[in-house]
């Protein structure tokens, strides 16, 4: 029993650091087919452990640290970038980067980081090159959920989300390097531009 207690005490801080810190939802309106909620949540802020990887990522995503930052008004974020990470193999992590029109609280949301003064959500896995800080940041948005069906006492819903189709970047992180695999641009509506290998 004591070993289990020690294991729980050890694992709990790791779990807390890698998830949504807090969340509250206030129902504003509900009908048979729709539900509107005000969602307020807090995320742990992560930072890049390697400044070269941060610079390469900023360069690929065309983020300029000299432009006005949205970090001062995180409660009023309209467009937010999301980096969805997945482990490809032991030393390679793939990442899909896209913009959402609101800071949606995605199911696999792990935290956020600052890149060139912009908040970027982290979803999927937390990669080895991002380290947690003690800081958190709050986000708020109006959620619109559409009812799919009711089964027993459970209501199945889907959240209505805006257009997340462009622009998109597909990156790979390996050996402390960042590489652009694919870019889907705003002007090239759904056409994919591949870079030579």
């Amino acid at each position: 029993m004591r070993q289990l207690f020690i294991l729980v005490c050890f694992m709990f801080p790791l779990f807390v650091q890698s998830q949504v810190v807090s969340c509250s939802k206030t129902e504003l309106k509900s009908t048979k087919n729709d539900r509107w909620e005000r969602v307020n949540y807090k995320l742990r802020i992560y930072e890049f452990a390697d400044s070269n990887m941060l610079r390469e990522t900023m360069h690929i995503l065309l983020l300029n640290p000299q432009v006005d930052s949205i970090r001062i008004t995180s409660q009023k974020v309209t467009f937010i970038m999301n980096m969805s990470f997945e482990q490809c193999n032991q030393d390679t992590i793939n990442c899909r980067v896209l913009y959402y029109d609101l800071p949606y609280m995605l199911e696999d949301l792990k935290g956020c980081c600052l890149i060139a003064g912009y908040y970027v959500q982290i979803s999927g896995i937390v990669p080895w090159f991002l380290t947690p800080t003690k800081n958190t940041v709050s986000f708020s948005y109006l959620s619109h959920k559409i009812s799919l069906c009711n089964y027993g006492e459970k209501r199945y819903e889907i959240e209505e989300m805006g257009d997340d189709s462009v622009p998109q970047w597909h990156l790979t992180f390996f050996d402390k390097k960042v590489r652009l695999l694919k870019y889907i641009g705003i002007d090239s509506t759904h056409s994919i531009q591949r870079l030579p290998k």
Side-chain angles (χ1 to χ4, degrees):
M1 186 69 172
R2 185 175 173 206
Q3 290 174 341
L4 178 63
F5 178 73
I6 292 169
L7 181 65
V8 168
C9 288
F10 174 74
M11 294 301 286
F12 185 71
L14 297 175
F15 176 76
V16 168
Q17 285 189 348
S18 65
Q19 302 296 322
V20 175
V21 175
S22 67
C23 176
S24 67
K25 297 179 182 180
T26 306
E27 190 173 292
L28 303 175
K29 183 181 174 185
S30 184
T31 68
K32 184 179 176 182
N33 301 317
D34 301 82
R35 184 158 53 103
W36 288 265
E37 294 176 327
R38 170 62 62 189
V39 180
N40 299 296
Y41 65 95
K42 264 189 195 176
L43 292 177
R44 174 92 38 217
I45 297 179
Y46 287 77
E47 61 186 13
F48 275 74
D50 186 304
S51 58
N52 287 332
M53 290 182 78
L54 173 60
R55 276 194 296 276
E56 285 183 48
T57 304
M58 282 171 50
H59 178 73
I60 290 171
L61 300 178
L62 302 174
L63 296 176
N64 184 349
Q66 307 305 318
V67 299
D68 290 338
S69 168
I70 62 171
R71 64 182 163 186
I72 299 163
T73 57
S74 61
Q75 293 281 359
K76 298 177 183 176
V77 170
T78 51
F79 287 88
I80 190 163
M81 186 177 277
N82 177 272
M83 297 181 83
S84 181
F85 294 98
E86 72 173 6
Q87 192 80 41
C88 186
N89 58 44
Q90 188 175 359
D91 44 354
T92 304
I93 293 175
N94 286 341
C95 177
R96 181 173 172 240
V97 184
L98 53 85
Y99 280 100
Y100 286 105
D101 61 350
L102 288 173
Y104 298 105
M105 199 178 80
L106 307 172
E107 282 184 21
D108 59 350
L109 199 54
K110 296 295 191 289
C112 72
C113 65
L114 284 166
I115 301 180
Y118 289 88
Y119 281 117
V120 178
Q121 290 182 335
I122 301 164
S123 59
I125 65 160
V126 177
W128 59 267
F129 51 84
L130 290 176
T131 57
T133 69
K134 293 180 181 179
N135 300 324
T136 60
V137 64
S138 299
F139 295 97
S140 180
Y141 73 99
L142 185 64
S143 169
H144 177 209
K145 293 189 175 173
I146 299 163
S147 180
L148 298 175
C149 66
N150 292 327
Y151 185 74
E153 293 183 15
K154 187 151 174 82
R155 183 178 185 176
Y156 293 90
E157 300 173 312
I158 187 166
E159 187 167 13
E160 184 182 54
M161 299 174 95
D163 183 14
D164 62 356
S165 57
V166 288
Q168 289 184 34
W169 297 261
H170 293 230
L171 310 176
T172 187
F173 295 83
F174 64 98
D175 194 28
K176 296 192 176 184
K177 292 186 175 116
V178 187
R179 183 171 164 223
L180 177 64
L181 298 177
K182 184 171 34 173
Y183 172 71
I184 304 170
I186 266 183
D187 298 329
S188 57
T189 313
H190 302 292
S191 69
I192 296 171
Q193 302 167 3
R194 293 184 184 273
L195 294 183
K197 292 186 176 183

